[in-house]
Amino acid sequence: MAVTASHPLLLLLLLSLRLLAVANGASKPLAYQTLVVTPLASPEPLLSEDADGDDENLASAVESETTLPSSSSLHVHLSHRDSVLADTTAAEQIFRLRLDRDAARVETLSQTLAVATAPPAANVTGRRGFSSKVVSGLAQGSGEYFARIGIGTPARYVYMVLDTGSDVVWLQCAPCRRCYSQSDPIFDPRNSRSYAAVPCGAPLCRRLDVAGCDTRRRSCLYQVSYGDGSITTGEFSTETLTFRRSTRVSRIALGCGHDNEGLFVAAAGLLGLGRGSLSFPSQAGRRFGRMFSYCLVDRTSAGAPNRSSSVVFGGSAVPRSSARVAYTPMVRNPKVDTFYYVELMGVSVGGARVTGVLASDLRLDPTTGRGGVIVDSGTSVTRLARPAYQALRDAFKAGVSGLKLAPGGFSLFDTCYDLSGRTEVKVPTVVLHLAGGAAVSLPAENYLIPVDTKGTFCFAFAGTDSGVSIIGNIQQQGFRVVFDAEKSRVGFMPRGC
């Protein structure tokens, strides 16, 4: 029946229904994407001894987007630390351990920020916050990614943890008063022609937050402590580091640890990638332009492609064309100089902005140094301020259709689904909106992840009451994440591995 002026009540009813539909967003259906259901699997074994050799696939994938000649860059393969357990531990147990480490990591970062933002009377160091005070993802052995790096001359290759949440570079050294077990022989500086102790009065020594002096040798001493009680102490020195393709970087200040206690695992030490002056990117900035990027590959999925995680320093770290990269300005915390802060403006689910995710709940307070959002390589699961997380979770659950909720959750995850017997499912899209107009559209496998071998998948976000929010490495997987200190920006390039 045609609607005419002789049916005013019917016309009014239809108009009212249309207005109601627009108000409820029904005129714009939610956007979905496909998740291929791949149960949890064990990670790949650790990198082989020759992992420092050439990799033409990595070179072509990254260098095709470069702005500077490859001679100004270096490329390093990464292995996830779960690879240490790949041959001896079940996949589900490995993942539970990863989440336990993750909780410890977040607690450590929270303690770090509490120390750094405390009133001056409580902050006894008084300088740059915490470069040697509760800084690293190595708390509970939680450094997540290892690289094969040559130390000294001639180079002795060892596994080092790469961590954007730390500044000081250090490794275990002989003679060792107390050392934990590592997968390679302990580095002996007496066998290196390029090793040199830093004098007590040198400017490098004064950059340390906790420093001492060996009066007999007149050499600088360092100490780095962590939230779980782990500690490394020894001689502060300079040494040559060798990376892939025999790229050598000389006179890098690092701690040569003769007394190392705690829950460190497998790696010989740590290569700090933070923003502080003693981090590797800062020290090598004259050669590599204070820029690096990494791409992290999910190695725990049975269907993972044959790709490697990698980190690139220098010109090759920054893609030639910005069209593929979503850039957002770095935000500086005046109380803490190590972390990479960004401003998260909001989140979309299914193409619609989540009204409960407020920028005000996620913003850094420049006066107190509290709050804000950091991009971190050592944290696995993205944490959001609790009100923002709850709004995001509820929007995702409301958008999911036809999926069976799994009872009880899993570890820190409170929203899980039973996808057993399914090969693929449709899930609402999730997009992070960052300052400067950057929109980071997450692949489905970056936010609905397998947690066991039975088909249980969980929404891979969590809430936090610690003040600081964190974009974790699960959400970063598959992106080339660019840290460009020269232009004070962080970029996300999809399919960048």
Side-chain angles (χ1 to χ4, degrees):
M1 179 177 63
V3 177
T4 66
S6 62
H7 299 85
L9 290 178
L10 182 57
L11 179 61
L12 180 61
L13 177 61
L14 290 175
L15 289 174
S16 299
L17 289 174
R18 175 162 294 185
L19 289 173
L20 182 62
V22 170
N24 290 332
S27 63
K28 184 179 180 181
L30 290 180
Y32 289 84
Q33 61 181 331
T34 299
L35 171 71
V36 177
V37 178
T38 307
L40 195 68
S42 294
E44 294 290 315
L46 271 176
L47 291 171
S48 62
E49 290 296 315
D50 61 353
D52 52 291
D54 288 347
D55 185 319
E56 296 304 327
N57 291 331
L58 172 63
S60 61
V62 178
E63 290 176 3
S64 62
E65 296 284 349
T66 62
T67 55
L68 297 176
S70 59
S71 59
S72 65
S73 304
L74 63 89
H75 307 257
V76 185
H77 282 289
L78 301 178
S79 278
H80 195 279
R81 74 174 303 279
D82 286 346
S83 303
V84 176
L85 304 173
D87 295 330
T88 60
T89 310
E92 184 174 336
Q93 180 62 20
I94 290 175
F95 189 70
R96 283 188 180 275
L97 290 171
R98 181 179 183 181
L99 295 181
D100 289 343
R101 294 194 309 271
D102 211 45
R105 165 79 169 193
V106 171
E107 178 63 24
T108 294
L109 298 183
S110 300
Q111 291 180 30
T112 293
L113 289 165
V115 170
T117 59
N123 187 0
V124 296
T125 63
R127 296 190 289 123
R128 293 194 312 278
F130 63 94
S131 285
S132 48
K133 189 69 174 178
V134 196
V135 296
S136 175
L138 281 178
Q140 299 291 339
S142 67
E144 291 298 304
Y145 287 90
F146 293 174
R148 197 81 173 146
I149 297 174
I151 310 294
T153 306
R156 309 290 189 209
Y157 281 89
V158 296
Y159 290 110
M160 299 279 282
V161 170
L162 273 68
D163 184 13
T164 58
S166 300
D167 288 329
V168 177
V169 181
W170 65 267
L171 78 160
Q172 296 197 112
C173 288
C176 222
R177 289 186 289 273
R178 279 175 292 194
C179 281
Y180 60 89
S181 176
Q182 64 180 58
S183 59
D184 296 291
I186 292 174
F187 174 73
D188 191 337
R190 294 168 295 190
N191 297 329
S192 171
R193 298 191 301 272
S194 50
Y195 180 88
V198 173
C200 294
L204 275 175
C205 190
R206 292 196 294 269
R207 291 190 199 176
L208 291 165
D209 283 345
V210 180
C213 182
D214 182 330
T215 55
R216 182 177 61 85
R217 288 173 48 86
R218 303 301 301 167
S219 61
C220 179
L221 301 177
Y222 82 98
Q223 177 177 297
V224 180
S225 56
Y226 301 92
D228 65 345
S230 299
I231 191 169
T232 174
T233 304
E235 186 173 68
F236 206 47
S237 61
T238 60
E239 185 55 288
T240 295
L241 305 186
T242 303
F243 296 84
R244 295 177 64 251
R245 302 180 182 176
S246 300
T247 301
R248 295 166 59 83
V249 185
S250 61
R251 296 191 57 79
I252 294 298
L254 55 82
C256 199
H258 299 289
D259 192 337
N260 314 286
E261 307 172 55
L263 301 176
F264 307 127
V265 177
L270 181 143
L271 191 76
L273 300 181
R275 296 181 74 179
S277 64
L278 288 174
S279 73
F280 177 76
S282 294
Q283 291 194 59
R286 181 171 297 181
R287 178 170 180 180
F288 298 115
R290 295 176 61 219
M291 60 185 73
F292 71 95
S293 66
Y294 57 65
C295 203
L296 308 178
V297 175
D298 179 9
R299 306 307 290 176
T300 63
S301 172
N306 186 24
R307 296 173 297 167
S308 297
S309 299
S310 65
V311 62
V312 181
F313 298 93
S316 295
V318 179
R320 178 185 295 117
S321 171
S322 61
R324 293 186 58 199
V325 188
Y327 281 113
T328 188
M330 287 183 187
V331 178
R332 182 167 291 279
N333 187 335
K335 303 291 187 180
V336 183
D337 65 356
T338 296
F339 296 140
Y340 294 93
Y341 281 86
V342 296
E343 188 171 4
L344 181 60
M345 309 301 295
V347 182
S348 292
V349 172
R353 290 288 281 260
V354 180
T355 55
V357 179
L358 303 177
S360 58
D361 289 334
L362 302 165
R363 188 171 294 128
L364 175 70
D365 184 333
T367 303
T368 65
R370 297 172 183 166
V373 180
I374 64 174
V375 181
D376 186 37
S377 66
T379 301
S380 292
V381 178
T382 292
R383 265 62 168 203
L384 297 178
R386 195 162 300 279
Y389 165 70
Q390 291 172 343
L392 170 61
R393 174 201 61 198
D394 293 347
F396 182 81
K397 290 174 69 175
V400 168
S401 176
L403 301 185
K404 178 183 177 183
L405 277 170
F410 184 96
S411 184
L412 58 85
F413 300 131
D414 60 16
T415 302
C416 300
Y417 297 90
D418 180 2
L419 303 185
S420 56
R422 311 285 288 267
T423 57
E424 60 180 43
V425 296
K426 295 290 186 181
V427 294
T429 58
V430 175
V431 179
L432 307 180
H433 299 280
L434 301 168
V440 181
S441 181
L442 301 179
E445 59 268 22
N446 286 27
Y447 56 87
L448 196 60
I449 66 171
V451 297
D452 60 24
T453 58
K454 303 172 185 176
T456 305
F457 282 65
C458 295
F459 187 56
F461 287 82
T464 180
D465 300 310
S466 68
V468 64
S469 297
I470 305 169
I471 298 177
N473 59 49
I474 289 176
Q475 280 65 44
Q476 298 175 44
Q477 286 174 352
F479 289 89
R480 180 151 295 279
V481 184
V482 180
F483 299 86
D484 185 356
E486 288 291 299
K487 296 185 178 179
S488 191
R489 60 183 183 174
V490 177
F492 298 85
M493 184 173 76
R495 298 178 298 280
C497 299

